Amino acid sequence: ISVFLTGIGPISAPVDDGAAPPENATISATLPVSATIGGIPATVEFAGLAPLYPGTAQINLIVPTGASGVSPLVISIGGVTSNTVQLVISAN
């Protein structure tokens, strides 16, 4: 899944304030990023800026086996934990 958020901390390349990252650029978070879904660790495949969306970060996750129904999603960046959001997981 892709999660869109703000506040990922330092990034791998500079971007002007208010500017969108270039479409073909991969600009990653430099602090460690982890996530849990339903208390189960999720694999983080990418954490960085969302291309073409100013001020928006993107984290791509693999939903862990065993996570189902309405599950809490928690993201940690550089040891700082996000608010909990409820993620609805459907087997369809």
Side-chain angles (χ1 to χ4, degrees):
I1 62 170
S2 294
V3 178
F4 295 89
L5 63 149
T6 60
I8 61 167
I11 53 176
S12 62
V15 175
D16 291 336
D17 285 345
E23 182 176 5
N24 297 325
T26 300
I27 301 174
S28 302
T30 58
L31 295 174
V33 177
S34 62
T36 60
I37 299 174
I40 304 168
T43 300
V44 176
E45 290 195 320
F46 171 75
L49 297 185
L52 302 176
Y53 293 96
T56 305
Q58 175 178 338
I59 298 176
N60 298 341
L61 304 170
I62 295 177
V63 176
T65 302
S68 63
V70 178
S71 298
L73 166 64
V74 178
I75 296 170
S76 177
I77 301 172
V80 177
T81 302
S82 71
N83 293 331
T84 300
V85 298
Q86 297 301 316
L87 180 66
V88 178
I89 301 170
S90 173
N92 295 341

